[in-house]
Structure formats: C-alpha cells, structure tokens
C-alpha cells in the first residue's frame, strides 16, 4: 500500500514540474499575414525630356500676297533636324489616366528652300530662282492628357493629346535670287530681321513607358506637333529699301522623337512593414 502512495506522489510531482516548465516557456510570435496589395498609381510626378524634331513647312509667301499672282514652284522647302529639351509636372489620376503641363525649348533648325517663278515682263516671259535661308526656334507650353493602355512586363503603351501655345521665332532670313528676261540675267538679294509670333499649338502623342521602380519611369515617345505659322520682320533689299512686308512661313509641323523620365513624388512603399513582435515572459 505504501508503494502505491509513493508512485502516486512521484507522478503528481512530475506533472507539477512539467506545468511549471511550460509556464516559463515564451509564447510563440503572433501569426503574420501578407499585407494587401498596394495600388501602384496616384500622385504627382515631375518629368524631363530630350529629343529631336523633323520639321516641315507647307509654303512661304510674302505677307501681302504680292507673289501670289506669279506661277511658282517651291522645291526642297524644309527645316533641318533640331534638338528638343523639355520638362513639366503632372498627376496620375488612376491606373490608366494621367495629365501634365510641359514647357519645351526647340533649338535652332536651319531652313533652306528654292522657289522657281515665271512672270510676264515687258511682253516677254521672265524666269527666276529664289534661294531662301533662315533659322527657326520655338518655346512651347502645352497641357497634355494620356491614356495608359495596360501593362505587360513593366511596359505600358500609351496615347495622348495636347493643346497650348507656341512662340515661333524666325531669324537670319535671306533671299538670294536671279532672273532671266530676254536672255539677260540679273541678281538680287533681300533679307529681314528676326521676328516672333505666338500661335495656338496642338499635338498627338504615343509611346512606351517602362517602370524601372515605383518612383521612376522611362518613356520612349513620338509626337506629331502643329506649331502654326511664323513670320520674319519686314523684308528689304540690299540697298535697305523696304515695303514693310514680312515673309510668312505657313503651317509648320513636326515629327518628334523623345526620351523622357518621370519621377513619381508620391510613390507608395513596395510593401507594408510587418507589425512589431511582442514577447511575454
């Protein structure tokens, strides 16, 4: 009987020591849960762009249309390629719509053109050639809107449009001409001072955007821009005589290729930080 009591006492002591040991063990850390996905849109951004233009002009003509009565054929009337430098600020409204306001300086583009004319002169038919040169630059301010068309492997195609104002400047205008009437050749020269003109401008955009990280996106873009008309100062001949009429450049357009960077000022963290661990004991 005594041995049974000893066995029961030993068992009770063992259970009590086990319970005390378990109470002294630290509690397991709380279970952690994956944070909900963070939306990767919304907020303000800054942008910068560089690129080059491929510009055209529909035609050039005197401001009073004096040469409109001449039978004229214009050849090789175009601008050279020029650099584009721009920047702006924008807002991403949601995961497919954004807009920005941009400023752009479009560097000097050299202009060359040839005008072949036929005209009556003292009962004879005269033929003439005018070779034009000039340089052109612009300041452009534009409000733009874009639609992002979905994202695949961090690449997002987009389309957009913009409207604003362009200050078009024409400088270094010259006109070297020669005419032949009755077998007699004569030469002429004309020039004009620089002048600027503000126009309504509009653009169509498309391109691809690559998200490097939540705060930085690189763009490869194309824009078709209509910059309106431009004008020189009053044209005068080599003696300084002028009728006070400028030469006008009608309907200037450009095909632009650009490389841009967008910096998101409100980019969310890539993941939510886990809750702090709390230990007892």
């Amino acid at each position: 009987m005594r041995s049974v009591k000893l066995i029961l006492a030993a068992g009770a002591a063992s259970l009590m020591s086990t319970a005390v040991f378990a109470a002294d063990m630290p509690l397991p850390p709380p279970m952690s849960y994956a944070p909900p996905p963070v939306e990767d849109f919304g907020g303000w951004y800054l942008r910068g762009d560089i690129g080059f233009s491929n510009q055209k002009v529909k035609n050039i003509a005197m401001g009073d249309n004096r040469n409109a009565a001449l039978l004229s054929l214009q050849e090789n009337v175009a601008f050279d390629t020029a650099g584009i430098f721009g920047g702006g600020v924008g807002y991403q409204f949601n995961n497919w719509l954004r807009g920005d306001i941009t400023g752009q300086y479009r560097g000097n583009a050299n202009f060359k053109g040839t005008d072949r004319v036929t005209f009556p002169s003292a009962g004879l038919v005269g033929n003439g050639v005018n070779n034009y040169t000039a340089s052109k630059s612009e300041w452009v301010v534009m409000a733009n809107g874009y639609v992002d068309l979905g994202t695949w492997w961090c690449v997002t195609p987009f389309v957009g449009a913009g409207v604003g104002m362009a200050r078009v400047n024409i400088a270094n205008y010259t006109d070297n001409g020669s005419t032949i009437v009755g077998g007699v050749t004569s030469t002429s020269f004309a020039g004009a001072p620089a002048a600027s003109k503000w126009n309504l401008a509009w653009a169509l955009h498309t391109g691809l955007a690559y998200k490097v990280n939540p705060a930085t996106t690189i763009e490869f873009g194309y824009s078709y821009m209509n910059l309106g008309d431009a004008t020189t100062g009053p044209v005068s001949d080599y003696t300084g005589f002028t009728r006070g009429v400028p030469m006008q450049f009608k309907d200037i357009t450009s095909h632009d290729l650009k490389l841009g960077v967008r910096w998101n000022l409100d980019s969310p963290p890539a993941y939510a930080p886990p809750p702090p661990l709390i230990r007892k004991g």
Side-chain angles (χ1 to χ4, degrees):
M1 186 69 178
R2 184 176 178 181
S3 61
V4 172
K5 292 181 179 180
L6 290 174
I7 292 172
L8 292 175
S14 175
L15 288 174
M16 289 179 63
S17 63
T18 302
V20 170
F21 178 75
D24 290 338
M25 291 182 64
L27 295 175
M31 295 182 63
S32 61
Y33 298 92
V38 179
E39 299 288 357
D40 61 350
F41 59 83
W44 293 95
Y45 64 85
L46 298 177
R47 68 174 304 137
D49 301 275
I50 59 173
F52 60 89
S53 63
N54 180 13
Q55 303 174 85
K56 295 183 179 180
V57 60
K58 185 176 181 180
N59 61 57
I60 61 175
M62 293 297 292
D64 60 357
N65 292 320
R66 181 177 64 90
N67 53 347
L70 305 180
L71 181 60
S72 175
L73 174 63
Q74 293 187 349
E75 303 174 351
N76 304 318
V77 179
F79 295 94
D80 293 341
T81 295
I84 300 172
F85 310 92
V89 60
Y91 191 81
Q92 184 88 37
F93 297 99
N94 51 43
N95 63 345
W96 60 272
L97 180 64
R98 57 189 169 88
D100 54 39
I101 297 176
T102 57
Q104 203 178 74
Y105 173 71
R106 305 167 66 88
N108 278 325
N110 294 324
F111 170 80
K112 295 178 182 178
T114 298
D115 194 10
R116 301 183 184 277
V117 297
T118 301
F119 56 93
S121 177
L124 300 174
V125 176
N127 295 287
V129 175
N130 294 296
N131 294 305
Y132 305 106
T133 63
S135 62
K136 178 181 66 65
S137 61
E138 296 96 13
W139 288 95
V140 180
V141 178
M142 189 163 288
N144 307 283
Y146 309 90
V147 175
D148 294 330
L149 303 178
T151 301
W152 296 267
W153 301 284
C154 299
V155 176
T156 304
F158 64 86
V159 295
V163 63
M165 299 294 292
R167 181 182 183 270
V168 186
N169 180 74
I170 299 290
N172 306 313
Y173 171 81
T174 63
D175 174 3
N176 289 282
S178 64
T179 58
I180 301 175
V181 179
V184 179
T185 301
S186 60
T187 61
S188 63
F189 173 83
S196 299
K197 183 177 185 292
W198 281 98
N199 300 314
L200 176 69
W202 57 270
L204 300 175
H205 312 293
T206 188
L208 299 173
Y210 177 76
K211 179 166 285 191
V212 179
N213 56 50
T216 307
T217 302
I218 296 176
E219 282 188 6
F220 301 91
Y222 161 82
S223 296
Y224 172 83
M225 294 196 69
N226 187 302
L227 299 164
D229 300 339
T231 184
T232 69
V235 176
S236 59
D237 63 19
Y238 69 96
T239 67
F241 172 76
T242 179
R243 295 183 297 111
V245 179
M247 181 66 79
Q248 294 183 337
F249 292 67
K250 301 295 185 78
D251 195 13
I252 300 169
T253 59
S254 182
H255 299 272
D256 301 341
L257 293 177
K258 296 176 292 182
L259 173 64
V261 180
R262 300 201 313 262
W263 296 277
N264 189 353
L265 301 180
D266 300 313
S267 59
Y271 59 89
L277 295 177
I278 301 176
R279 300 176 66 92
K280 293 183 179 180

